Amino acid sequence: MPPPDRDRTEAEPPVRWPVVAVPVVDPPLNSSSVEVDAVVADPPRRPRRRPARADVLAIGAYALLGVLVCLNYWGDVQHRVSSHLPTDHSWFEWLFAHGAYSVRHLENPLFTARQNAPDGVNMMANTSLLGVTLPLAPLTMLLGPQVMYALYLGAALSATAATSYWALSRHLVRSRAAAFVGGAFLGFAPGIVHHANGQPNFVSNFLLPLIVARVLRLGEPGRWRRNGLALGLLVAYQIFVNEEMLLLTALACLVVVVAYVVQRPRAARERAGAFLAAIGVGGGVALLLTAYPIWFQFNGPQSYRGLQGGVFHNWGEDLMAFVTFARDTVAGDEAVEKTIGLTEQNTWFGWPLVLVALVALVLLVRRSVPARILAVLVVLFTVASIGPVVRFDGAETDVAGPWAYVPDDLPLVEMMMPTRLSLVVVGAIGVLLALAWDTLARTARPTVPAPRSGAHDADPDGTADADGTTGARDGDRAATGRRRAVRLVGYAAIVAALLPLFPRPLPAQRIDPPPHFITAGGWRPYVPAGRTLVPVPIPSNVHGLPTLRWSALTAQEFPIPAGYFIGPNAAGEGVFGAPNRPTSTLIYSTMDADEVPEITPENRRQAIEDLRFWRASVVVLGANPREAVLRDLMTALLGPAQRVDDVWLWDVRDRV
């Protein structure tokens, strides 16, 4: 249930967007008045006030939702990972450990050699979440990366909803309940919750509402320095959280500004100078703060240019996805997910919400500039998210999509996934829901005209009109009744569309802890400085999930070869994981076949060469479903193993 409507009084008007003169006060649905441009050149300063009770209730509700979404992790936080994306889950645990390691050892966080030794990993060229892992490093050291991951995941969802609520309630709508509904959707939309399955970088959107609100205020006369500085700081920080979501937000803001200029050219011209000056300041500040990290991302060690084969280019939205309920909602069905196929569930809104959104746009677009801008966003980014081929219900059609005409090798485009453009649609629908609820909240509040002079004396009981009749007052009552009925029907429609999308706890699976030999430090006598511990299987994006966690859960005290990341291949293109060496390939094929192949002298020679390249000092095999066959393989390659504590160990220091 949303918190009660805490509408602002006339004595405390909402802070409005004065940048591009976006009209934020819509007339009631039954009004014929002209729309009002909410342009306040210099809104009056008001003394700071404590948050209203509605604000506290809203934030509390969002926090409870964050706990609910992560509930399955908290059942056994030390031994559970996402059952949807377990490797991604482990990668982000590793990232929290990386942030703590960088702070503890005062090392450059933009690069690490603790994974993919000896080449290392360019952290700026990966989803490193440095803007989160570095500030939270003390908590990671105290609580461990598993607890930190689950704690942060729920907090990021809640914080995104809270900042969305703040931006909506302070800059767009009067009704706190409207802001609550919009904020809840923006923080916990089906597509966002879907990404919470192992990808916390895509739910860390708490800065984006603040960035959008600041962009829409850039045209304030006399405030271009302050607004530009604030925008530059926000953008710079977001670069260290999620560059892809920042790019999508920038594209959306560009469309918003252009759409407004087309509709309000005169107001836009009046504020163009301040707007451009603020953009210049913001861009300069952001560039100053991020120039070296961005250079490092594209030119530093282990950087790359594009992804091999444009692997994401074909990931477009299925048309049926828009009217399908997402798996992690109360109305979702996992079987449908397999039918529709390749999609991230970014637009799995369900048919009731699609219907409500269309009706709201039809009713609001005629009289509301914000609604018209939202309509442009929805149409443009929906079409753009389709990809190179139109797909329907899991099958490709013969109709070419918009991305069929976009070259794969364009800068930035080569790294984009078409389906993720629909996340802008998610944001637009969240704002639309707030706008629709706010309009409904004002439908039953007719303006009461001042009584005519002497009318009160002529009608002491208050039942007659100025001409002595009661017809006009009865008509007002009937109109008020109709407006209240419209409001109740509208509220019911929005709630009915959102209830099926209520999130369920994310699915989780149990994962075995690292061997005692690893967690208790039994490896220390075997791994001197400058050498690596080689876990079997070698960590990769397909195999070796448990062994990647060995590094994460031991504070990255020993470096490991290969891993789960994006790095360059021989041609300089980005690929997932390190290029396989002969021994890695042999280990993976043995696991897949569950049978040791015939081992030749060449295999043994390659194994020694690979261990020399990795600077290995010890090879370690712990408990694994393929433990027996892996032990036989490594014995055939390296000779008999030692049983130390709960692992099989091959000491290779005197051989490499």
Side-chain angles (χ1 to χ4, degrees), residues 371-386:
R372 288 198 286 274
I373 292 175
L374 292 173
V376 172
L377 287 173
V378 168
V379 172
L380 184 61
F381 284 91
T382 294
V383 172
S385 70
I386 291 174

Side-chain angles (χ1 to χ4, degrees), residues 142-512:
L142 178 66
L143 303 175
Q146 309 106 303
V147 174
M148 200 64 245
Y149 175 92
L151 189 63
Y152 173 74
L153 184 64
L157 290 163
S158 304
T160 300
T163 56
S164 300
Y165 169 84
W166 179 88
L168 291 169
S169 63
R170 270 57 177 180
H171 297 291
L172 182 63
V173 298
R174 292 176 180 269
S175 165
R176 298 292 175 90
F180 175 83
V181 170
F185 187 82
L186 290 166
F188 296 90
I192 303 300
V193 173
H194 179 76
H195 280 289
N197 288 280
Q199 296 178 328
N201 55 319
F202 279 103
V203 307
S204 303
N205 302 324
F206 40 84
L207 292 179
L208 301 184
L210 308 181
I211 290 174
V212 172
R214 187 56 57 179
V215 167
L216 295 175
R217 298 186 62 182
L218 291 183
E220 286 182 333
R223 298 190 177 189
W224 56 273
R225 291 185 185 87
R226 186 184 70 175
N227 288 332
L229 176 62
L231 179 64
L233 293 174
L234 288 169
V235 167
Y237 198 89
Q238 178 64 30
I239 285 174
F240 297 101
V241 177
N242 190 330
E243 291 176 271
E244 187 171 355
M245 291 301 293
L246 177 61
L247 174 60
L248 295 179
T249 303
L251 291 174
C253 287
L254 176 62
V255 172
V256 168
V257 171
V258 171
Y260 181 79
V261 169
V262 170
Q263 296 179 80
R264 291 288 186 272
R266 179 183 298 178
R269 279 196 302 270
E270 291 173 355
R271 288 160 183 79
F275 185 88
L276 294 175
I279 283 286
V281 171
V285 169
L287 182 62
L288 180 66
L289 295 176
T290 62
Y292 177 72
I294 291 175
W295 175 90
F296 194 93
Q297 175 177 345
F298 293 102
N299 299 282
Q302 292 300 103
S303 58
Y304 52 86
R305 290 288 188 277
L307 290 177
Q308 185 181 36
V311 295
F312 291 147
H313 199 71
N314 292 324
W315 281 54
E317 277 299 306
D318 190 303
L319 296 183
M320 279 296 293
F322 290 87
V323 294
T324 304
F325 294 112
R327 181 198 61 201
D328 297 321
T329 62
V330 293
D333 183 358
E334 191 169 349
V336 178
E337 174 185 38
K338 298 174 182 176
T339 302
I340 293 182
L342 193 66
T343 177
E344 287 189 332
Q345 301 188 18
N346 295 317
T347 58
W348 291 41
F349 300 130
W351 64 265
L353 180 58
V354 171
L355 183 61
V356 165
L358 290 175
V359 170
L361 283 175
V362 169
L363 293 176
L364 294 175
V365 77
R366 181 175 59 85
R367 64 196 67 200
S368 167
V369 169
R372 288 198 286 274
I373 292 175
L374 292 173
V376 172
L377 287 173
V378 168
V379 172
L380 184 61
F381 284 91
T382 294
V383 172
S385 70
I386 291 174
V389 178
V390 175
R391 293 189 299 116
F392 184 81
D393 203 19
E396 290 188 355
T397 69
D398 296 329
V399 181
W403 283 72
Y405 308 99
V406 179
D408 290 353
D409 56 353
L410 283 180
L412 294 180
V413 171
E414 61 188 358
M415 299 289 292
M416 292 181 69
M417 189 182 296
T419 176
R420 289 182 181 167
L421 290 170
S422 61
L423 290 172
V424 175
V425 181
V426 173
I429 289 182
V431 176
L432 176 64
L433 290 172
L435 203 60
W437 190 289
D438 188 60
T439 303
L440 289 167
R442 286 182 281 112
T443 10
R445 298 182 191 132
T447 302
V448 180
R452 297 181 184 178
S453 177
H456 180 72
D457 296 335
D459 182 25
D461 61 357
T463 59
D465 293 331
D467 60 357
T469 67
T470 59
R473 189 173 298 276
D474 290 341
D476 286 343
R477 290 197 188 100
T480 300
R482 286 193 297 271
R483 284 190 290 266
R484 287 175 178 168
V486 168
R487 182 168 69 163
L488 291 177
V489 169
Y491 286 166
I494 294 174
V495 171
L498 292 179
L499 280 180
L501 305 181
F502 196 84
R504 293 187 296 186
L506 299 173
Q509 68 182 37
R510 179 176 172 79
I511 187 170
D512 292 330

Side-chain angles (χ1 to χ4, degrees), residues 568-641:
N569 61 11
E573 298 173 311
V575 293
F576 285 92
N580 285 340
R581 300 189 67 84
T583 305
S584 304
T585 302
L586 184 59
I587 290 173
Y588 302 149
S589 61
T590 300
M591 292 178 67
D592 293 339
D594 199 17
E595 182 180 0
V596 179
E598 182 180 351
I599 301 301
T600 66
E602 178 62 14
N603 294 137
R604 297 186 181 93
R605 185 192 67 79
Q606 288 175 336
I608 295 301
E609 285 190 5
D610 291 341
L611 291 171
R612 187 173 292 121
F613 172 80
W614 290 326
R615 300 176 187 171
S617 62
V618 65
V619 178
V620 179
L621 169 64
N624 188 285
R626 298 286 191 269
E627 180 180 345
V629 71
L630 287 173
R631 184 181 70 245
D632 292 344
L633 171 66
M634 300 311 297
T635 298
L637 290 172
L638 302 175

Side-chain angles (χ1 to χ4, degrees), residues 11-26:
E12 187 189 2
V15 179
R16 300 167 181 172
W17 295 334
V19 180
V20 287
V22 176
V24 299
V25 180
D26 297 316

Side-chain angles (χ1 to χ4, degrees), residues 41-67:
D42 191 6
R45 295 180 179 273
R46 294 192 304 271
R48 291 180 178 272
R49 299 182 61 182
R50 291 183 300 175
R53 186 174 65 174
D55 296 344
V56 175
L57 290 174
I59 294 172
Y62 297 150
L64 289 176
L65 275 175
V67 172

Side-chain angles (χ1 to χ4, degrees), residues 534-547:
V534 179
V536 178
I538 312 293
S540 74
N541 61 312
V542 177
H543 301 87
L545 163 63
T547 52

